Amino acid sequence: MSEQVILREVGLRDGIQMARRFLETERKLEWAQRLKAAGVREIELTSFVPPKIVPQFADADELAKSLPALSGVVSSALVPNLKGAERALAAGFRHINYVLSISEAHSQSNVRRSTDEAIAEFERIVALKQTDAGRDMVLGVGLATSFGCTLQGHVAPERVFEVARRVADGGADELIVADTVGYGHPAQVKELLPPIMEIAAGRRVICHFHDTRGLGLANVAAALEMGVRVFDSSLAGLGGCPFAPGATGNINTEDTAYMLESMGFSTGIDIAALLELRRDVENWLGDEERYSGAIARAGLPKTFISSSERP
């Protein structure tokens, strides 16, 4: 049996948060259902942020009604604060992702609070886990700008490790190591991940890479060497950070699945089905500068054998 690598699809959240066109709830639901049919087993479905800040997620509560139809898929929601976590739990989500920035400049610009204040908010969300409403919550914590910041520049690895240790000791169930603005390179990946894996102490470590400067898949390969087996990715490479103008977004799901399968790992994903979905998503969203992906342009090679087809 091939070793499994999980791709957690974030296109419906990170991918469309800055899209110019509002995507109808019905289209989002179809997108999620077709991801499930294509073998994707983890989807970040929406975000519980104030609609006036990100109008794209004004339908988060409505979209949550689709959770029973996505049975068998780990459907998660991103939250910016305790109120968002309370809303997500009330809507039916059990897997919550909270993101804080290691970079002080990014934290202030993004959420108007310091990193220490963001950690204090994390602690309030952990307290929610002790209540009846949050008893079965799985809390992932994203360590944004771990590899650098467009506003601050260098982010000290020691500060990344300090924050990772504080949230791990404080009650995080998963750690998401994020190259929010595409500054990371393979040598950095190999420097940061071993200490974080040790800090995680058996908790799941997820890597969230952007392909802003063309190093996304190289960073995935480096993380694989370090033992990471879960990665965020986005259909058509959609997404990006408001503080990285011209960024090409997240690593592309189709390309990442192809690389992993070619390397002998099993993703369980039907890449051809993803390419069909991608064509429809491009029609739904219209002209977006952030579409990317080599497999969508070149197609799968005739020699390609997926894990499901191997003897």
Side-chain angles (χ1 to χ4, degrees), residues 4-5 36-41 261 265-270 307-308:
Q4 185 181 43
V5 174
K36 176 183 175 181
V40 176
R41 288 295 171 262
E261 293 277 344
F265 293 101
S266 173
T267 65
I269 292 175
D270 182 342
S307 57
S308 62

Side-chain angles (χ1 to χ4, degrees), residues 14-23 31 56 235-240 247-248 278 281-292:
D14 194 346
I16 62 173
Q17 65 181 349
M18 295 190 297
R20 290 186 289 269
R21 182 183 298 180
F22 179 83
L23 191 61
W31 185 339
Q56 187 67 252
L235 188 79
L238 285 167
T248 52
R278 174 194 172 118
V281 167
E282 289 182 1
N283 287 330
W284 299 341
L285 292 177
D287 183 30
E288 286 283 339
E289 297 176 358
R290 296 173 187 268
Y291 299 126
S292 69

